[in-house]
Amino acid sequence: MKPNPSHFQNDPTEAKMSIFLFFILAVAIATPKKPDLKNIQDYGFSATLYKELGKDCHNFVISPLLVETAFAALYLGSSGKTAEEIRTVFHLPPKTGIEHKYKTLIPQLTNPGYTLNIANRVSLAQKYKFVPTWETQIKNIFEVCADLLDMTNKNAAAEKVNKWFRDKTNNKIDKMVSADALTSETALLLLSSLYFQGNWDQQFSVSSTRKQTFYNHGKQQVSVDMMSASARSVNYGKSDLLNAQFLEIPLEKRHASMVVVLPDQLDGIYQLETKISEILNFRDFCPGTVNIWLPKFRMDSTFNIDKILQQLGVKDAFDETKAQFSGTVSCADCHSPYIGKVTQKTYLQINERGVEAAAGQVVHVRVPLSGGRKQFKADHPFLFYIKIKEVVVFIGRVSAF
């Protein structure tokens, strides 16, 4: 899904500032291990974001965590109705609780067995200045690096931003922003990157990968590269209420995993998605040996999610006449900045070795074998989410190849 980018018009009567938010992902995998983290991230925003994207996309992957943390940082510099809308939509605590939440959350996402790099950066146009309190807060809580960006040379400024993303994502995201996207109104770019790479706890054998059938949209048969393995000690679950099966595939050291949710019916994905909150809270897993069939695939997603966030209730932040972000940056002849654009790019690769980049997974469950072993074959549309402990890092859907 690639919605039309936002357009900004200059008003000659007053100086304006706009904030661009760019997210880049190369992420994946996680697992619920320690319930003490359960209340750190509310699943409400993940569920509502998934529902909105699902209306217009077939295949997609997105990181609710990256969107949330960026807005949490802006929340600290906001006030009035702008602050209240952000707090409500993202299920954030009062400002006094932001530091505890994120300084507790972020360090616990790093564990042995996978590579997870989260980087945040604020690039400020040279004619603007940080509000000292906000600058201190975002550096302390979110470990944000800050620098100045020369907007008089838009090509050089864009390349500086894009190089930062390439460096932080192992060259998986090449071009995040174009020179044309940087206007005279651009006050700051809030950049967030998240790179994830991990190997399966039990890797698939390349020699076992075969061409098999996948039902695009639950109907059309196509041939895909299907990995297969008999995996021990993986978590399997079945819900008659949701009419779906769940499989949690761990990565090395088992601190992270991918949960794949497969509807019982070939075309049951859209009915299943109406209960996304219940899906994210499903915990009725049992460990055992499962025969798994999982497609190999790569996925690239690009989203301009301005309109989606406004539909969810973040409205004033995008309105140059109503936004209240005076606690972030300032200049001599400027009004409060407003958010001009929110863009997220994701990259995901699933293969026999493991997962690299920005979330994604395929799985399918069948009737248990008589000997008690489960069959999980991802041969029709499914959804997935990647969790580290109890934190949803990525969420997405695979409908067709």
Side-chain angles (χ1 to χ4, degrees):
M1 169 182 160
K2 294 187 179 182
N4 292 329
S6 300
H7 297 284
F8 307 101
Q9 296 181 348
N10 292 324
D11 185 339
T13 63
E14 59 182 12
K16 301 180 225 175
M17 296 185 287
S18 67
I19 301 170
F20 280 17
L21 287 79
F22 297 97
F23 311 98
I24 166 198
L25 306 88
V27 182
I29 297 221
T31 184
K33 283 290 182 184
K34 294 186 178 181
D36 59 306
L37 283 180
K38 184 173 182 180
N39 294 322
I40 289 181
Q41 186 187 35
D42 189 293
Y43 295 143
F45 176 66
S46 298
T48 52
L49 182 61
Y50 181 98
K51 285 181 179 179
E52 289 300 320
L53 290 174
K55 293 177 181 178
D56 299 308
C57 303
H58 296 304
N59 301 335
F60 68 89
V61 57
I62 197 166
S63 174
L65 176 65
L66 226 52
V67 183
E68 176 194 315
T69 53
F71 272 86
L74 289 174
Y75 171 56
L76 291 172
S78 65
S79 60
K81 189 178 177 183
T82 300
E84 182 59 24
E85 289 179 350
I86 293 175
R87 188 194 66 79
T88 300
V89 170
F90 291 95
H91 302 257
L92 297 174
K95 291 182 180 180
T96 54
I98 291 292
E99 180 173 3
H100 172 74
K101 174 176 180 176
Y102 290 97
K103 292 195 77 172
T104 301
L105 169 65
I106 294 174
Q108 296 196 53
L109 296 179
T110 303
N111 291 281
Y114 58 84
T115 299
L116 176 65
N117 296 324
I118 300 176
N120 297 290
R121 176 172 174 167
V122 172
S123 293
L124 186 68
Q126 289 180 329
K127 66 178 180 179
Y128 303 104
K129 293 182 179 180
F130 285 108
V131 174
T133 301
W134 186 67
E135 182 181 15
T136 300
Q137 286 179 320
I138 62 175
K139 287 182 177 180
N140 180 45
I141 299 172
F142 301 99
E143 299 182 358
V144 172
C145 296
D147 72 340
L148 295 177
L149 206 59
D150 182 5
M151 294 297 183
T152 61
N153 188 338
K154 296 196 295 182
N155 289 325
E159 175 54 26
K160 184 177 181 180
V161 170
N162 290 328
K163 183 180 184 302
W164 184 83
F165 277 116
R166 289 195 296 270
D167 292 343
K168 296 300 181 182
T169 61
N170 199 25
N171 293 314
K172 292 301 182 292
I173 303 295
D174 179 57
K175 185 177 180 180
M176 192 68 192
V177 59
S178 66
D180 292 340
L182 304 178
T183 74
S184 59
E185 293 181 15
T186 304
L188 67 86
L189 306 179
L190 180 54
L191 314 174
S192 300
S193 72
L194 192 158
Y195 176 79
F196 180 98
Q197 190 279 325
N199 296 332
W200 303 119
D201 185 58
Q202 301 171 60
Q203 294 185 16
F204 294 82
S205 171
V206 174
S207 62
S208 297
T209 299
R210 297 284 188 275
K211 290 289 185 181
Q212 294 197 31
T213 297
F214 185 92
Y215 294 87
N216 280 352
H217 309 295
K219 299 176 182 179
Q220 180 186 7
Q221 297 185 37
V222 295
S223 181
V224 302
D225 288 328
M226 189 78 72
M227 306 180 297
S228 65
S230 181
R232 304 179 305 279
S233 299
V234 295
N235 286 332
Y236 168 85
K238 175 74 174 73
S239 172
D240 293 332
L241 177 64
L242 297 172
N243 294 314
Q245 294 160 312
F246 293 72
L247 185 70
E248 181 181 17
I249 309 175
L251 296 183
E252 285 182 336
K253 306 295 184 181
R254 308 181 78 87
H255 290 291
S257 65
M258 176 180 288
V259 179
V260 184
V261 187
L262 188 74
D264 293 339
Q265 303 299 318
L266 291 180
D267 60 353
I269 186 69
Y270 303 111
Q271 178 61 33
L272 176 63
E273 289 172 336
T274 63
K275 301 176 181 177
I276 186 66
S277 296
E278 291 89 335
I279 290 169
L280 292 175
N281 283 286
F282 180 85
R283 294 295 182 274
D284 192 14
F285 289 102
C286 292
T289 300
V290 180
N291 292 333
I292 301 172
W293 288 265
L294 185 66
K296 288 177 60 174
F297 65 92
R298 286 180 54 181
M299 184 186 297
D300 296 272
S301 296
T302 300
F303 299 101
N304 293 333
I305 56 177
D306 321 344
K307 291 183 179 180
I308 289 176
L309 292 174
Q310 291 176 65
Q311 290 168 357
L312 294 178
V314 183
K315 299 181 182 298
D316 282 14
F318 293 90
D319 189 325
E320 64 190 70
T321 66
K322 297 179 180 179
Q324 295 175 277
F325 286 113
S326 57
T328 58
V329 298
S330 63
C331 73
D333 301 316
C334 300
H335 291 272
S336 171
Y338 66 99
I339 298 176
K341 189 174 185 179
V342 182
T343 300
Q344 185 176 112
K345 289 190 176 184
T346 65
Y347 164 90
L348 171 68
Q349 182 171 5
I350 302 293
N351 58 28
E352 290 88 354
R353 184 178 180 182
V355 180
E356 182 179 22
Q361 179 64 58
V362 300
V363 187
H364 174 51
V365 174
R366 295 289 180 174
V367 179
L369 298 177
S370 58
R373 182 171 298 183
K374 309 297 189 302
Q375 304 256 34
F376 199 90
K377 190 169 187 178
D379 63 356
H380 61 274
F382 59 87
L383 65 88
F384 61 87
Y385 60 94
I386 293 164
K387 297 175 66 180
I388 296 176
K389 298 184 179 179
E390 284 298 310
V391 178
V392 173
V393 181
F394 285 90
I395 191 167
R397 175 212 285 164
V398 174
S399 291
F401 284 84

